[in-house]
Amino acid sequence: MIKEIFFNRSKEIIKLAIPAVGEMVLYMLIWVLDTLMVGKYGGGNAVSAVGFSSEIMYTFINILIGMGLSISITSIVARALGGGDEGKAKSIANLGVKIGILIAVVMFSIFFIFPKEILSLGGAKGEVLDSSYRYMRICSVGLLFNMVTNVLNGVFRGAKNTKIPLYAAGILNIVNLSLDYVLIFGKFGFPELGIAGAAIATTAGNILAFIFILTKLKELPFKLNLKEKINYPNLKELIDLSIPSALSEGAFSIVRLLSVMMVMRLGSLAFSANQITVTIESISFMPGWGFAISAVSLVGHSIGKKDYKGAREYANISLLLAVLVMGFFSIVFLFFSKDLVQLFIKKDEAEVIALGAACLTIASVQQIPTAIDMVLSGALKGMGDTKTPFRIVLFCNWCIRLPLMYYFIYLKKMPVTYFWWITSLQWTVEAAIFIKFYRDKFYKNVI
């Protein structure tokens, strides 16, 4: 009986997780491919330009949309549909899209009008600044469409449809990869545009992915209607859930961004090595994210149906699967760090390769704690609790990670490897705290 439950739950989790993992891998590949190709084209300075611009843009997109509004839409829509309230699911989806469009327009305007000021404030100088501000300005156009697509993806996930977001991400990557090659290097008669070519490729991909997902809205169990009258109780619920979720991501992402700015002050060698390591490690986060999305959706549906035992089973099995997959990445990073770093930079930049390999080896330590953090945070959000994850992430990032980064990286100018030892400590402490709160919620309160 236990084996049968485990098999059935696992099958359902994986059915949702694989498209979600595939989607996030494809989205991350945009950054990875841009970094890889411009690294081969222009070396360390090019990597720094693309990496720093992307870090800033995606930090705010993840805070406001990806882990704020979108994940909250998924949670509420999942619980509404699980409880048979299709009207509420539709209302939340409509409200979410309206808010998403407003946020997208504001963020596009900021990144398009003030790219040089933003990057200078972050510490970019000289050639890196000249290249990165052009990259940011062009990419801001695509990110306008990307942010709205992200919101619509949240609606689809809440309806237990993770395939449509996957297909949209696939289209984005096909376009991005194709145009990256021809526009960066000037192939098949196209002009050689370098970093600007990478930005144009990403923007074109985002626009086409948005058009695709618009054509698939008819596959939702309800019809979106942006003219629908605002339901203020539903709006309040969405905002109440979104703000702590966004603040949780903000507590992490802003500290990460500040840490990256501190690393930039160590010089271009340290920053290039660190950025390549961040790019490689980001791929390993995708399975954890996929299983976290499964936990949000399936736990939400179970809570909506008052099936608390099922909610706990979905959370536990999602956690186990995430730990196994990210544990595998830990082994890969430990034994093949140099080989992976060499893919992203010219082979004659030996110092960058050696330093990046050392960072990636240390990053192997934090893979399993990261898996625990992601899935248990998703499980709590699935049951409608976004405040607990916010408090945990706020404490671990602002009371552990940031002070240590400030002391060792900013003040003492220690090697960039200290960055990775500090993040490993932060993720491990965070995982331990999440386990404690998860057990309290799902064992003492839910059952």
Side-chain angles (χ1 to χ4, degrees):
M1 182 66 179
I2 294 176
K3 288 183 179 179
E4 184 179 350
I5 292 173
F6 178 80
F7 176 78
N8 290 335
R9 300 294 194 202
S10 297
K11 185 177 179 181
E12 194 170 357
I13 290 166
I14 291 171
K15 184 179 178 181
L16 284 183
I18 287 179
V21 170
E23 177 200 349
M24 297 313 298
V25 167
L26 289 172
Y27 273 115
M28 190 53 61
L29 277 177
I30 301 165
W31 186 4
V32 171
L33 291 171
D34 282 359
T35 304
L36 190 152
M37 290 198 181
V38 299
K40 293 295 185 183
Y41 176 82
N45 283 335
V47 168
S48 297
V50 170
F52 194 46
S53 301
S54 299
E55 190 78 44
I56 292 173
M57 289 186 291
Y58 286 107
T59 291
F60 287 98
I61 290 170
N62 285 335
I63 292 171
L64 297 171
I65 300 289
M67 297 303 292
L69 183 62
S70 182
I71 202 78
S72 301
I73 291 171
T74 298
S75 176
I76 300 175
V77 168
R79 280 182 280 125
L81 292 177
D85 191 349
E86 189 175 296
K88 180 177 181 180
K90 177 183 176 182
S91 175
I92 290 294
N94 286 326
L95 289 167
V97 173
K98 290 176 184 177
I99 295 171
I101 292 171
L102 176 62
I103 293 172
V105 171
V106 171
M107 296 310 299
F108 156 72
S109 302
I110 292 171
F111 288 134
F112 186 82
I113 298 171
F114 305 109
K116 186 169 283 189
E117 291 81 0
I118 293 169
L119 291 159
S120 297
L121 186 63
K125 299 176 182 177
E127 185 181 339
V128 172
L129 176 60
D130 290 338
S131 298
S132 57
Y133 99 84
R134 292 187 182 93
Y135 181 84
M136 178 179 283
R137 174 165 283 170
I138 296 169
C139 280
S140 67
V141 178
L143 292 178
L144 172 64
F145 295 91
N146 176 266
M147 285 183 268
V148 181
T149 300
N150 238 312
V151 173
L152 293 172
N153 286 345
V155 178
F156 276 102
R157 294 186 196 113
K160 295 206 292 187
N161 184 340
T162 53
K163 290 183 179 179
I164 296 302
L166 171 65
Y167 298 152
I171 290 170
L172 196 164
N173 268 269
I174 291 170
V175 174
N176 183 62
L177 177 58
S178 303
L179 293 181
D180 259 350
Y181 180 68
V182 299
L183 294 179
I184 292 174
F185 299 100
K187 303 294 184 179
F188 306 116
F190 284 85
E192 182 182 328
L193 299 176
I195 292 173
I200 293 170
T202 300
T203 297
N206 276 317
I207 292 172
L208 289 176
F210 171 74
I211 293 171
F212 167 79
I213 208 161
L214 285 182
T215 67
K216 295 297 179 180
L217 293 179
K218 59 182 179 294
E219 296 188 21
L220 289 170
F222 46 80
K223 185 177 180 180
L224 287 178
N225 180 12
L226 299 185
K227 295 180 181 179
E228 184 180 89
K229 187 178 179 180
I230 294 175
N231 183 308
Y232 287 98
N234 286 342
L235 177 62
K236 183 179 183 300
E237 182 179 358
L238 179 59
I239 292 174
D240 286 347
L241 197 63
S242 296
I243 288 176
S245 187
L247 290 174
S248 177
E249 177 63 20
F252 164 68
S253 292
I254 291 174
V255 169
R256 184 184 64 187
L257 184 58
L258 291 172
S259 301
V260 168
M261 291 177 179
M262 293 179 199
V263 171
M264 177 162 273
R265 296 179 186 278
L266 297 179
S268 60
L269 169 63
F271 187 80
S272 296
N274 186 73
Q275 205 58 42
I276 290 171
T277 307
V278 168
T279 303
I280 295 170
E281 193 202 27
S282 65
I283 299 172
S284 72
F285 283 4
M286 297 306 102
W289 168 256
F291 289 115
I293 288 295
S294 293
V296 173
S297 181
L298 294 172
V299 168
H301 273 265
S302 297
I303 295 293
K305 293 187 292 188
K306 309 297 183 185
D307 180 11
Y308 302 119
K309 185 173 183 293
R312 188 181 70 183
E313 289 170 353
Y314 281 125
N316 287 341
I317 296 171
S318 295
L319 176 60
L320 174 61
L321 295 173
V323 166
L324 290 174
V325 175
M326 291 189 68
F328 168 76
F329 276 100
S330 178
I331 295 171
V332 172
F333 291 166
L334 186 61
F335 291 102
F336 301 100
S337 56
K338 185 176 180 180
D339 303 282
L340 291 170
V341 172
Q342 283 179 327
L343 295 173
F344 288 81
I345 198 73
K346 294 177 178 179
K347 290 186 178 180
D348 59 353
E349 300 206 31
E351 289 181 295
V352 176
I353 293 170
L355 188 55
C359 293
L360 192 58
T361 300
I362 299 168
S364 66
V365 175
Q366 64 193 38
Q367 297 308 300
I368 290 177
T370 301
I372 294 170
D373 286 13
M374 287 181 166
V375 175
L376 296 190
S377 176
L380 291 170
K381 290 172 183 175
M383 67 180 293
D385 180 6
T386 56
K387 292 181 180 179
T388 297
F390 164 60
R391 290 167 183 152
I392 296 172
V393 173
L394 181 68
F395 169 75
C396 291
N397 279 273
W398 288 82
C399 298
I400 297 176
R401 181 170 176 165
L402 185 59
L404 291 175
M405 288 288 182
Y406 181 75
Y407 179 77
F408 286 104
I409 303 297
Y410 187 80
L411 293 181
K412 294 296 183 179
K413 300 289 191 296
M414 301 301 288
V416 72
T417 48
Y418 276 69
F419 175 100
W420 293 93
W421 284 119
I422 292 167
T423 58
S424 295
L425 173 65
Q426 171 246 314
W427 282 114
T428 302
V429 173
E430 197 169 303
I433 298 173
F434 262 115
I435 290 171
K436 195 270 180 191
F437 277 90
Y438 165 73
R439 292 183 64 86
D440 287 348
K441 290 275 185 179
F442 275 73
Y443 285 79
K444 294 180 182 179
N445 297 335
V446 172
I447 297 177

